[in-house]
Amino acid sequence: MQFEVFTLLPEVFPSYLETSIIKRARERGLIHVRVHNIRDYTHDKHHMTDDTPYGGGGGMVMKPEPIFEAIETVLGLNAEPTQPKPESNIPIIMLTPQGRVFNQSIAQELSQHEHIVLICGRYEGIDERIREHLVTDEISIGDYVLTGGELPALILIDAISRFLPDVLGDPTGAQDDSHAMGLLEYPHYTRPPEFRGWKIPEVLLSGAHAKIDKWRREQALLRTFKKRPDMLEKAELTKEDKKFLERLKSEVKSEK
Ligand code: ADE
């Protein structure tokens, strides 16, 4: 999988990309990340990438020419100036708080592509023609505003890469994650079995795999019920799950 990142702050990326699982995935050729400086595609003396907004008002707006040129050059799309969106099935994603809100299923969907473009916005905004004639998708990482799209781009690269074969040491890793099954993950414990008097749940020492699976499923349901009840509406639930949840609900009612 190849990521092409377009940014005005390329120096933000190396430290994260050269660490841990993402570093190993890059070294093993499972993912490739190329970071392109939008400023390299300016032709004026001051290398301007932004300008004041038409109609007045505060802030600066990212200019269209350098971003179009950068992406068309890197993707080898030589669009005529009058031609709308260059023909390509590569997603050209703008990171913006106006986009659809990123989640695990969007990460999985994007992991099916071999090539993805990520544009990191800065300043107050971007010229609307970039959105209309270049970008094919807009993604937000949540309902808050950051100073730019660099952290969101890293978040997408990380979450998408985890779905690619062999990126995680444990091949079932991505399937068991919180959110993967539409539920939060069950609690984990490791040695020692007792720490400051706090013991791990007995069942985990039993060696009875069916019992452990049942306990984990119920814990995942319990956690989701307590912390993210909204997720239960979309989760795939078995008859047993539904029964367990009914019991939880009636327990809560009787506590009130
Ligand atoms: N740029 C600024 N804020 C953002 C957000 N919440 N998501 C994606 N890109 C952004």
Side-chain angles (χ1 to χ4, degrees):
M1 153 92 67
Q2 171 94 39
F3 295 95
E4 310 286 358
V5 182
F6 293 86
T7 172
L8 288 167
L9 297 175
E11 64 274 21
V12 167
F13 291 85
S15 70
Y16 195 76
L17 297 175
E18 284 164 19
T19 308
S20 186
I21 290 176
I22 298 298
K23 174 189 179 179
R24 280 202 299 280
R26 291 175 57 230
E27 285 172 351
R28 293 160 66 206
L30 303 172
I31 62 168
H32 304 272
V33 186
R34 292 201 297 178
V35 180
H36 309 276
N37 192 341
I38 296 166
R39 205 173 296 284
D40 293 343
Y41 296 87
T42 53
H43 301 288
D44 60 303
K45 202 166 85 189
H46 301 290
H47 301 287
M48 266 176 64
T49 55
D50 63 331
D51 210 334
T52 52
Y54 275 118
M60 298 294 272
V61 176
M62 284 176 82
K63 289 165 67 60
E65 310 96 303
I67 294 189
F68 269 85
E69 187 179 319
I71 292 175
E72 286 165 0
T73 305
V74 167
L75 297 187
L77 306 165
N78 290 316
E80 292 296 317
T82 53
Q83 198 184 308
K85 274 193 193 24
E87 281 308 312
S88 153
N89 51 13
I90 300 171
I92 300 180
I93 302 169
M94 166 68 82
L95 283 317
T96 160
Q98 297 186 17
R100 53 185 179 136
V101 179
F102 192 55
N103 60 26
Q104 193 71 350
S105 86
I106 298 177
Q108 183 161 26
E109 165 202 321
L110 293 174
S111 73
Q112 310 298 312
H113 291 273
E114 272 173 26
H115 205 169
I116 289 182
V117 168
L118 300 171
I119 308 174
C120 309
R122 281 259 136 196
Y123 306 118
E124 303 293 304
I126 57 152
D127 188 285
E128 191 62 19
R129 290 162 291 187
I130 299 168
R131 199 171 252 133
E132 283 177 357
H133 302 297
L134 183 65
V135 164
T136 63
D137 195 1
E138 295 178 52
I139 291 184
S140 163
I141 58 157
D143 291 341
Y144 43 85
V145 181
L146 301 167
T147 51
E150 284 74 16
L151 291 173
L154 282 170
I155 286 171
L156 260 68
I157 293 170
D158 190 302
I160 294 168
S161 298
R162 298 178 76 262
F163 279 104
L164 301 177
D166 303 330
V167 166
L168 296 181
D170 172 3
T172 62
Q175 282 124 54
D176 282 350
D177 283 336
S178 282
H179 294 279
M181 349 174 253
L183 297 176
L184 299 180
E185 223 183 329
Y186 53 79
H188 298 274
Y189 294 91
T190 186
R191 269 170 282 278
E194 184 173 338
F195 169 66
R196 296 188 178 173
W198 300 308
K199 290 190 178 138
I200 70 162
E202 201 68 42
V203 62
L204 297 176
L205 295 169
S206 69
H209 292 295
K211 255 195 196 163
I212 292 173
D213 287 348
K214 179 166 184 283
W215 180 84
R216 284 181 167 164
R217 182 76 188 173
E218 290 180 354
Q219 289 296 313
L221 289 163
L222 178 63
R223 275 207 164 174
T224 314
F225 178 74
K226 281 189 180 161
K227 296 186 186 183
R228 288 290 306 274
D230 56 298
M231 286 172 64
L232 291 173
E233 281 158 33
K234 286 195 210 143
E236 274 181 43
L237 301 173
T238 64
K239 248 196 220 157
E240 279 76 48
D241 293 340
K242 286 180 191 161
K243 253 199 235 158
F244 180 75
L245 287 168
E246 284 310 315
R247 248 195 294 143
L248 285 180
K249 278 182 209 159
S250 59
E251 275 170 30
V252 171
K253 260 193 208 146
S254 64
E255 277 167 22
K256 277 184 187 166

mmCIF file with all atom_site columns, all heavy atoms in Angstrom, residues 162-178:
data_model
loop_
_atom_site.group_PDB
_atom_site.id
_atom_site.type_symbol
_atom_site.label_atom_id
_atom_site.label_alt_id
_atom_site.label_comp_id
_atom_site.label_asym_id
_atom_site.label_entity_id
_atom_site.label_seq_id
_atom_site.pdbx_PDB_ins_code
_atom_site.Cartn_x
_atom_site.Cartn_y
_atom_site.Cartn_z
_atom_site.occupancy
_atom_site.B_iso_or_equiv
_atom_site.pdbx_formal_charge
_atom_site.auth_seq_id
_atom_site.auth_comp_id
_atom_site.auth_asym_id
_atom_site.auth_atom_id
_atom_site.pdbx_PDB_model_num
ATOM 1   N N   . ARG A 1 162 ? -2.904  -1.132  9.925  1.00 0.00 ? 162 ARG A N   1
ATOM 2   C CA  . ARG A 1 162 ? -3.155  -2.282  10.804 1.00 0.00 ? 162 ARG A CA  1
ATOM 3   C C   . ARG A 1 162 ? -4.026  -3.340  10.147 1.00 0.00 ? 162 ARG A C   1
ATOM 4   O O   . ARG A 1 162 ? -4.041  -4.488  10.567 1.00 0.00 ? 162 ARG A O   1
ATOM 5   C CB  . ARG A 1 162 ? -3.812  -1.810  12.110 1.00 0.00 ? 162 ARG A CB  1
ATOM 6   C CG  . ARG A 1 162 ? -2.918  -0.869  12.908 1.00 0.00 ? 162 ARG A CG  1
ATOM 7   C CD  . ARG A 1 162 ? -3.569  -0.366  14.174 1.00 0.00 ? 162 ARG A CD  1
ATOM 8   N NE  . ARG A 1 162 ? -3.582  -1.360  15.221 1.00 0.00 ? 162 ARG A NE  1
ATOM 9   C CZ  . ARG A 1 162 ? -4.601  -2.134  15.525 1.00 0.00 ? 162 ARG A CZ  1
ATOM 10  N NH1 . ARG A 1 162 ? -5.736  -2.011  14.867 1.00 0.00 ? 162 ARG A NH1 1
ATOM 11  N NH2 . ARG A 1 162 ? -4.514  -3.027  16.480 1.00 0.00 ? 162 ARG A NH2 1
ATOM 12  N N   . PHE A 1 163 ? -4.781  -2.954  9.108  1.00 0.00 ? 163 PHE A N   1
ATOM 13  C CA  . PHE A 1 163 ? -5.626  -3.933  8.411  1.00 0.00 ? 163 PHE A CA  1
ATOM 14  C C   . PHE A 1 163 ? -4.870  -4.712  7.341  1.00 0.00 ? 163 PHE A C   1
ATOM 15  O O   . PHE A 1 163 ? -5.411  -5.660  6.779  1.00 0.00 ? 163 PHE A O   1
ATOM 16  C CB  . PHE A 1 163 ? -6.821  -3.227  7.748  1.00 0.00 ? 163 PHE A CB  1
ATOM 17  C CG  . PHE A 1 163 ? -7.931  -2.955  8.716  1.00 0.00 ? 163 PHE A CG  1
ATOM 18  C CD1 . PHE A 1 163 ? -8.140  -1.683  9.210  1.00 0.00 ? 163 PHE A CD1 1
ATOM 19  C CD2 . PHE A 1 163 ? -8.764  -3.975  9.146  1.00 0.00 ? 163 PHE A CD2 1
ATOM 20  C CE1 . PHE A 1 163 ? -9.157  -1.425  10.115 1.00 0.00 ? 163 PHE A CE1 1
ATOM 21  C CE2 . PHE A 1 163 ? -9.785  -3.743  10.040 1.00 0.00 ? 163 PHE A CE2 1
ATOM 22  C CZ  . PHE A 1 163 ? -9.980  -2.462  10.526 1.00 0.00 ? 163 PHE A CZ  1
ATOM 23  N N   . LEU A 1 164 ? -3.657  -4.279  7.016  1.00 0.00 ? 164 LEU A N   1
ATOM 24  C CA  . LEU A 1 164 ? -2.957  -4.940  5.907  1.00 0.00 ? 164 LEU A CA  1
ATOM 25  C C   . LEU A 1 164 ? -2.331  -6.246  6.386  1.00 0.00 ? 164 LEU A C   1
ATOM 26  O O   . LEU A 1 164 ? -1.837  -6.328  7.513  1.00 0.00 ? 164 LEU A O   1
ATOM 27  C CB  . LEU A 1 164 ? -1.881  -4.006  5.337  1.00 0.00 ? 164 LEU A CB  1
ATOM 28  C CG  . LEU A 1 164 ? -2.425  -2.676  4.817  1.00 0.00 ? 164 LEU A CG  1
ATOM 29  C CD1 . LEU A 1 164 ? -1.292  -1.794  4.331  1.00 0.00 ? 164 LEU A CD1 1
ATOM 30  C CD2 . LEU A 1 164 ? -3.427  -2.903  3.693  1.00 0.00 ? 164 LEU A CD2 1
ATOM 31  N N   . PRO A 1 165 ? -2.342  -7.263  5.529  1.00 0.00 ? 165 PRO A N   1
ATOM 32  C CA  . PRO A 1 165 ? -1.795  -8.555  5.925  1.00 0.00 ? 165 PRO A CA  1
ATOM 33  C C   . PRO A 1 165 ? -0.358  -8.406  6.418  1.00 0.00 ? 165 PRO A C   1
ATOM 34  O O   . PRO A 1 165 ? 0.425   -7.667  5.825  1.00 0.00 ? 165 PRO A O   1
ATOM 35  C CB  . PRO A 1 165 ? -1.833  -9.380  4.628  1.00 0.00 ? 165 PRO A CB  1
ATOM 36  C CG  . PRO A 1 165 ? -2.759  -8.663  3.711  1.00 0.00 ? 165 PRO A CG  1
ATOM 37  C CD  . PRO A 1 165 ? -2.829  -7.232  4.149  1.00 0.00 ? 165 PRO A CD  1
ATOM 38  N N   . ASP A 1 166 ? -0.036  -9.082  7.504  1.00 0.00 ? 166 ASP A N   1
ATOM 39  C CA  . ASP A 1 166 ? 1.323   -9.171  8.076  1.00 0.00 ? 166 ASP A CA  1
ATOM 40  C C   . ASP A 1 166 ? 1.811   -7.917  8.796  1.00 0.00 ? 166 ASP A C   1
ATOM 41  O O   . ASP A 1 166 ? 2.918   -7.916  9.324  1.00 0.00 ? 166 ASP A O   1
ATOM 42  C CB  . ASP A 1 166 ? 2.363   -9.551  7.006  1.00 0.00 ? 166 ASP A CB  1
ATOM 43  C CG  . ASP A 1 166 ? 2.015   -10.861 6.334  1.00 0.00 ? 166 ASP A CG  1
ATOM 44  O OD1 . ASP A 1 166 ? 1.397   -11.704 7.020  1.00 0.00 ? 166 ASP A OD1 1
ATOM 45  O OD2 . ASP A 1 166 ? 2.325   -11.021 5.138  1.00 0.00 ? 166 ASP A OD2 1
ATOM 46  N N   . VAL A 1 167 ? 1.035   -6.829  8.810  1.00 0.00 ? 167 VAL A N   1
ATOM 47  C CA  . VAL A 1 167 ? 1.523   -5.627  9.500  1.00 0.00 ? 167 VAL A CA  1
ATOM 48  C C   . VAL A 1 167 ? 1.549   -5.870  11.019 1.00 0.00 ? 167 VAL A C   1
ATOM 49  O O   . VAL A 1 167 ? 2.510   -5.528  11.695 1.00 0.00 ? 167 VAL A O   1
ATOM 50  C CB  . VAL A 1 167 ? 0.686   -4.381  9.135  1.00 0.00 ? 167 VAL A CB  1
ATOM 51  C CG1 . VAL A 1 167 ? 0.956   -3.233  10.101 1.00 0.00 ? 167 VAL A CG1 1
ATOM 52  C CG2 . VAL A 1 167 ? 1.002   -3.949  7.704  1.00 0.00 ? 167 VAL A CG2 1
ATOM 53  N N   . LEU A 1 168 ? 0.499   -6.513  11.539 1.00 0.00 ? 168 LEU A N   1
ATOM 54  C CA  . LEU A 1 168 ? 0.478   -6.823  12.969 1.00 0.00 ? 168 LEU A CA  1
ATOM 55  C C   . LEU A 1 168 ? 1.110   -8.193  13.193 1.00 0.00 ? 168 LEU A C   1
ATOM 56  O O   . LEU A 1 168 ? 0.909   -9.103  12.389 1.00 0.00 ? 168 LEU A O   1
ATOM 57  C CB  . LEU A 1 168 ? -0.964  -6.832  13.492 1.00 0.00 ? 168 LEU A CB  1
ATOM 58  C CG  . LEU A 1 168 ? -1.698  -5.498  13.441 1.00 0.00 ? 168 LEU A CG  1
ATOM 59  C CD1 . LEU A 1 168 ? -3.087  -5.648  14.018 1.00 0.00 ? 168 LEU A CD1 1
ATOM 60  C CD2 . LEU A 1 168 ? -0.931  -4.415  14.177 1.00 0.00 ? 168 LEU A CD2 1
ATOM 61  N N   . GLY A 1 169 ? 1.854   -8.314  14.280 1.00 0.00 ? 169 GLY A N   1
ATOM 62  C CA  . GLY A 1 169 ? 2.479   -9.597  14.608 1.00 0.00 ? 169 GLY A CA  1
ATOM 63  C C   . GLY A 1 169 ? 1.428   -10.687 14.764 1.00 0.00 ? 169 GLY A C   1
ATOM 64  O O   . GLY A 1 169 ? 1.592   -11.795 14.282 1.00 0.00 ? 169 GLY A O   1
ATOM 65  N N   . ASP A 1 170 ? 0.320   -10.343 15.414 1.00 0.00 ? 170 ASP A N   1
ATOM 66  C CA  . ASP A 1 170 ? -0.756  -11.312 15.636 1.00 0.00 ? 170 ASP A CA  1
ATOM 67  C C   . ASP A 1 170 ? -1.748  -11.200 14.478 1.00 0.00 ? 170 ASP A C   1
ATOM 68  O O   . ASP A 1 170 ? -2.391  -10.173 14.311 1.00 0.00 ? 170 ASP A O   1
ATOM 69  C CB  . ASP A 1 170 ? -1.438  -10.957 16.971 1.00 0.00 ? 170 ASP A CB  1
ATOM 70  C CG  . ASP A 1 170 ? -2.696  -11.766 17.207 1.00 0.00 ? 170 ASP A CG  1
ATOM 71  O OD1 . ASP A 1 170 ? -3.023  -12.636 16.380 1.00 0.00 ? 170 ASP A OD1 1
ATOM 72  O OD2 . ASP A 1 170 ? -3.347  -11.521 18.235 1.00 0.00 ? 170 ASP A OD2 1
ATOM 73  N N   . PRO A 1 171 ? -1.873  -12.264 13.669 1.00 0.00 ? 171 PRO A N   1
ATOM 74  C CA  . PRO A 1 171 ? -2.719  -12.153 12.474 1.00 0.00 ? 171 PRO A CA  1
ATOM 75  C C   . PRO A 1 171 ? -4.186  -11.888 12.783 1.00 0.00 ? 171 PRO A C   1
ATOM 76  O O   . PRO A 1 171 ? -4.913  -11.388 11.939 1.00 0.00 ? 171 PRO A O   1
ATOM 77  C CB  . PRO A 1 171 ? -2.548  -13.520 11.777 1.00 0.00 ? 171 PRO A CB  1
ATOM 78  C CG  . PRO A 1 171 ? -1.896  -14.413 12.768 1.00 0.00 ? 171 PRO A CG  1
ATOM 79  C CD  . PRO A 1 171 ? -1.243  -13.568 13.823 1.00 0.00 ? 171 PRO A CD  1
ATOM 80  N N   . THR A 1 172 ? -4.638  -12.194 14.021 1.00 0.00 ? 172 THR A N   1
ATOM 81  C CA  . THR A 1 172 ? -6.046  -11.916 14.339 1.00 0.00 ? 172 THR A CA  1
ATOM 82  C C   . THR A 1 172 ? -6.191  -10.569 15.034 1.00 0.00 ? 172 THR A C   1
ATOM 83  O O   . THR A 1 172 ? -7.281  -10.179 15.426 1.00 0.00 ? 172 THR A O   1
ATOM 84  C CB  . THR A 1 172 ? -6.633  -13.012 15.265 1.00 0.00 ? 172 THR A CB  1
ATOM 85  O OG1 . THR A 1 172 ? -5.893  -12.994 16.488 1.00 0.00 ? 172 THR A OG1 1
ATOM 86  C CG2 . THR A 1 172 ? -6.571  -14.388 14.631 1.00 0.00 ? 172 THR A CG2 1
ATOM 87  N N   . GLY A 1 173 ? -5.051  -9.858  15.186 1.00 0.00 ? 173 GLY A N   1
ATOM 88  C CA  . GLY A 1 173 ? -5.033  -8.608  15.947 1.00 0.00 ? 173 GLY A CA  1
ATOM 89  C C   . GLY A 1 173 ? -6.136  -7.643  15.589 1.00 0.00 ? 173 GLY A C   1
ATOM 90  O O   . GLY A 1 173 ? -6.907  -7.226  16.446 1.00 0.00 ? 173 GLY A O   1
ATOM 91  N N   . ALA A 1 174 ? -6.223  -7.311  14.295 1.00 0.00 ? 174 ALA A N   1
ATOM 92  C CA  . ALA A 1 174 ? -7.175  -6.275  13.894 1.00 0.00 ? 174 ALA A CA  1
ATOM 93  C C   . ALA A 1 174 ? -8.622  -6.729  14.088 1.00 0.00 ? 174 ALA A C   1
ATOM 94  O O   . ALA A 1 174 ? -9.503  -5.917  14.309 1.00 0.00 ? 174 ALA A O   1
ATOM 95  C CB  . ALA A 1 174 ? -6.936  -5.852  12.450 1.00 0.00 ? 174 ALA A CB  1
ATOM 96  N N   . GLN A 1 175 ? -8.850  -8.056  14.011 1.00 0.00 ? 175 GLN A N   1
ATOM 97  C CA  . GLN A 1 175 ? -10.238 -8.523  14.177 1.00 0.00 ? 175 GLN A CA  1
ATOM 98  C C   . GLN A 1 175 ? -10.718 -8.426  15.622 1.00 0.00 ? 175 GLN A C   1
ATOM 99  O O   . GLN A 1 175 ? -11.894 -8.258  15.884 1.00 0.00 ? 175 GLN A O   1
ATOM 100 C CB  . GLN A 1 175 ? -10.375 -9.984  13.737 1.00 0.00 ? 175 GLN A CB  1
ATOM 101 C CG  . GLN A 1 175 ? -10.425 -10.141 12.239 1.00 0.00 ? 175 GLN A CG  1
ATOM 102 C CD  . GLN A 1 175 ? -9.347  -11.086 11.786 1.00 0.00 ? 175 GLN A CD  1
ATOM 103 O OE1 . GLN A 1 175 ? -9.247  -12.204 12.272 1.00 0.00 ? 175 GLN A OE1 1
ATOM 104 N NE2 . GLN A 1 175 ? -8.519  -10.627 10.867 1.00 0.00 ? 175 GLN A NE2 1
ATOM 105 N N   . ASP A 1 176 ? -9.786  -8.587  16.586 1.00 0.00 ? 176 ASP A N   1
ATOM 106 C CA  . ASP A 1 176 ? -10.180 -8.575  17.990 1.00 0.00 ? 176 ASP A CA  1
ATOM 107 C C   . ASP A 1 176 ? -10.243 -7.188  18.602 1.00 0.00 ? 176 ASP A C   1
ATOM 108 O O   . ASP A 1 176 ? -10.692 -7.012  19.713 1.00 0.00 ? 176 ASP A O   1
ATOM 109 C CB  . ASP A 1 176 ? -9.188  -9.405  18.830 1.00 0.00 ? 176 ASP A CB  1
ATOM 110 C CG  . ASP A 1 176 ? -9.454  -10.891 18.669 1.00 0.00 ? 176 ASP A CG  1
ATOM 111 O OD1 . ASP A 1 176 ? -10.495 -11.224 18.089 1.00 0.00 ? 176 ASP A OD1 1
ATOM 112 O OD2 . ASP A 1 176 ? -8.613  -11.694 19.103 1.00 0.00 ? 176 ASP A OD2 1
ATOM 113 N N   . ASP A 1 177 ? -9.751  -6.198  17.859 1.00 0.00 ? 177 ASP A N   1
ATOM 114 C CA  . ASP A 1 177 ? -9.699  -4.853  18.398 1.00 0.00 ? 177 ASP A CA  1
ATOM 115 C C   . ASP A 1 177 ? -11.036 -4.368  18.895 1.00 0.00 ? 177 ASP A C   1
ATOM 116 O O   . ASP A 1 177 ? -12.066 -4.772  18.407 1.00 0.00 ? 177 ASP A O   1
ATOM 117 C CB  . ASP A 1 177 ? -9.345  -3.849  17.275 1.00 0.00 ? 177 ASP A CB  1
ATOM 118 C CG  . ASP A 1 177 ? -7.893  -3.899  16.946 1.00 0.00 ? 177 ASP A CG  1
ATOM 119 O OD1 . ASP A 1 177 ? -7.118  -4.313  17.793 1.00 0.00 ? 177 ASP A OD1 1
ATOM 120 O OD2 . ASP A 1 177 ? -7.557  -3.507  15.808 1.00 0.00 ? 177 ASP A OD2 1
ATOM 121 N N   . SER A 1 178 ? -10.933 -3.382  19.816 1.00 0.00 ? 178 SER A N   1
ATOM 122 C CA  . SER A 1 178 ? -12.133 -2.630  20.132 1.00 0.00 ? 178 SER A CA  1
ATOM 123 C C   . SER A 1 178 ? -12.656 -2.074  18.809 1.00 0.00 ? 178 SER A C   1
ATOM 124 O O   . SER A 1 178 ? -11.849 -1.698  17.949 1.00 0.00 ? 178 SER A O   1
ATOM 125 C CB  . SER A 1 178 ? -11.786 -1.443  21.032 1.00 0.00 ? 178 SER A CB  1
ATOM 126 O OG  . SER A 1 178 ? -11.592 -1.867  22.353 1.00 0.00 ? 178 SER A OG  1
#
